[in-house]
Amino acid sequence: QVQLVESGGGVVQPGRSLRLSCVTSGFDFATYAMHWVRQAPGKGLEWVAVMWYDGSHEFYAESVQGRFTISRDNSKNTVWLQMNSLRAEDTALYYCARGRDPYRSSSIYYWGQGTLVTVSS
Amino acid sequence: QSALTQPPSVSGSPGQSVTISCTGTSSDVGSYNRVSWYQQPPGTAPKLMVYEVSNRPSGVPDRFSGSKSGNTASLTISGLQAEDEGDYYCSSYTSSATFVFGGGTRLTVL
């Protein structure tokens, strides 16, 4: 079955960096776009970033543009989120997620369980 | 890239129907049929309930239906059941090739 397992969260000081990882299994990773979505404590969902199945395109929410970078390695079935210049408002549960359809940027279907990032001094 | 607009809360009694609206702009909901709806019970990851405006993934009851008119999408849940309680979020693809979520709606089954 499809599995998405995030790791790398933790407590980090404002201005510092953190890299989240998402290891996947149970599907042909190289054919699906991968997303990161976050949810601040007690708040709603916020889409963060997507990378196309072949790594040719990446897009970001305005709130993280220029600070976060999504990347993937199709040989390792893994997607990462490099987060730089972290702010208190980046504190959230970060979900790794997979699109529904291969070869296109489609609705998010599968979600991981999330990894918690806390930005605090 | 403003969030889509949803009512903060809706409620209904078992067996009744409720509708949750999701209002965007001509740059997202109004221009694309890639509108999705997610259910999120407390403490769990979201679950896709409707995709591409009105399609249901396998396993989602036909009590859940979606529609769209102009810049507003809607999710209707008929025959409400206690297990339907939770937070519901809409999402849309945008003209910037990004995605945007709504602020979320808390459904209470009375």
Side-chain angles (χ1 to χ4, degrees):
Chain A
Q1 72 276 26
V2 173
Q3 289 196 318
L4 310 172
V5 180
E6 305 94 334
S7 63
V11 180
V12 61
Q13 293 180 329
R16 305 296 290 260
S17 299
L18 205 61
R19 188 172 87 149
L20 306 182
S21 300
C22 173
V23 177
T24 75
S25 61
F27 65 99
D28 187 355
F29 180 78
T31 63
Y32 287 89
M34 295 299 297
H35 302 252
W36 287 95
V37 177
R38 67 185 181 182
Q39 187 168 31
K43 302 298 183 181
L45 300 172
E46 181 185 14
W47 180 84
V48 174
V50 64
M51 174 163 270
W52 285 19
Y53 67 98
D54 58 359
S56 62
H57 293 79
E58 57 197 83
F59 300 95
Y60 300 91
E62 290 177 0
S63 58
V64 306
Q65 181 79 48
R67 299 188 300 123
F68 289 12
T69 302
I70 187 172
S71 60
R72 65 189 293 160
D73 185 334
N74 287 351
S75 68
K76 296 181 178 179
N77 295 340
T78 301
V79 60
W80 295 274
L81 185 68
Q82 177 68 42
M83 304 185 296
N84 299 331
S85 302
L86 282 163
R87 306 166 180 166
E89 53 264 37
D90 295 319
T91 294
L93 185 65
Y94 283 74
Y95 291 103
C96 168
R98 194 205 87 177
R100 180 185 177 276
D101 301 317
Y103 303 116
R104 63 190 291 254
S105 194
S106 59
S107 304
I108 292 172
Y109 194 179
Y110 289 101
W111 301 70
Q113 289 305 303
T115 186
L116 183 62
V117 173
T118 303
V119 183
S120 173
S121 54
Chain B
Q1 206 175 29
S2 299
L4 306 175
T5 301
Q6 298 181 232
S9 64
V10 297
S11 62
S13 300
Q16 289 186 332
S17 294
V18 295
T19 296
I20 302 171
S21 61
C22 170
T23 301
T25 70
S26 58
S27 296
D28 39 63
V29 174
S31 290
Y32 302 95
N33 285 330
R34 276 186 255 182
V35 176
S36 305
W37 289 92
Y38 300 88
Q39 176 193 61
Q40 188 179 35
T44 69
K47 174 185 176 183
L48 181 65
M49 305 302 286
V50 170
Y51 66 96
E52 292 178 358
V53 176
S54 59
N55 295 286
R56 283 185 307 277
S58 174
V60 173
D62 59 7
R63 302 185 295 103
F64 292 83
S65 62
S67 62
K68 190 184 85 166
S69 177
N71 295 339
T72 299
S74 299
L75 175 71
T76 298
I77 309 171
S78 58
L80 267 179
Q81 299 181 5
E83 67 203 47
D84 298 333
E85 274 203 346
D87 295 326
Y88 288 80
Y89 296 90
C90 62
S91 172
S92 176
Y93 183 75
T94 81
S95 60
S96 301
T98 62
F99 288 78
V100 61
F101 282 97
T105 299
R106 174 69 55 87
L107 169 63
T108 302
V109 181
L110 302 171

